[in-house]
Each structure stands twice: as structure tokens, then as C-alpha cells.
Amino acid sequence: GRDGGGLSAALDGSAAAPFDTLEGMLRAVGLSDLAPALAAEEVDLETLKFLCLDDLVSDLGIPEAQAAALLAARDARERGLAGLA
């Protein structure tokens, strides 16, 4: 699958940053068990930007608490990247 590294890695400046890939972000926030469900739907960091809580819960079958935590991590990551711009 795609790792979503390219642009975010360039923005980040560090290949070792945990939020460079969706998998790394999931690990960093303790949600690695969501990786198979997200991979099955070809969700990566890029597509995650366009998903809402209902998409994750209804379409991907992710429990609401985990879906909310995933979106919080995504938003924190976006704020972090924006801060480096």
C-alpha cells in the first residue's frame, strides 16, 4: 500500500517522525489495531483528511471512541504540519 510519506515527509523534515505515515500515527496514538480496517478501504493520511466520524463508524465499522481518537490525532498532525509551513 501507499505510505503517504512523500509530501508529509518533506514538510516534516524528519523521516523518523512518527506521524509521517498512517501506520506510524496509529502506533503513536495506540490505535494500530485500526490499520487493517483502514488499509482494507485504502485509507491513507491523504484520504483521512476527508473523512468524518460517521464515515469511520458507519462505513469502516470502527468503534466510535477509536474513530474519535483517530480524528483527534489527524487534527493534531495537521496543526503540527501547518505550524512548520
Side-chain angles (χ1 to χ4, degrees):
R2 299 163 304 208
D3 65 68
L7 180 61
S8 60
L11 286 172
D12 213 87
S14 165
F19 282 15
D20 264 10
T21 64
L22 180 59
E23 293 79 9
M25 187 179 79
L26 292 173
R27 269 196 308 277
V29 295
L31 294 172
S32 343
D33 53 329
L34 297 184
L38 295 169
E41 295 297 326
E42 297 190 352
V43 174
D44 60 14
L45 285 174
E46 208 47 47
T47 50
L48 188 60
K49 293 178 186 176
F50 304 103
L51 299 178
C52 66
L53 188 66
D54 190 52
D55 295 328
L56 295 172
V57 174
S58 300
D59 299 343
L60 275 69
I62 294 173
E64 191 165 341
Q66 287 185 306
L70 174 59
L71 294 180
R74 171 200 68 185
D75 294 343
R77 178 184 180 276
E78 290 299 312
R79 282 194 300 277
L81 290 178
L84 296 171

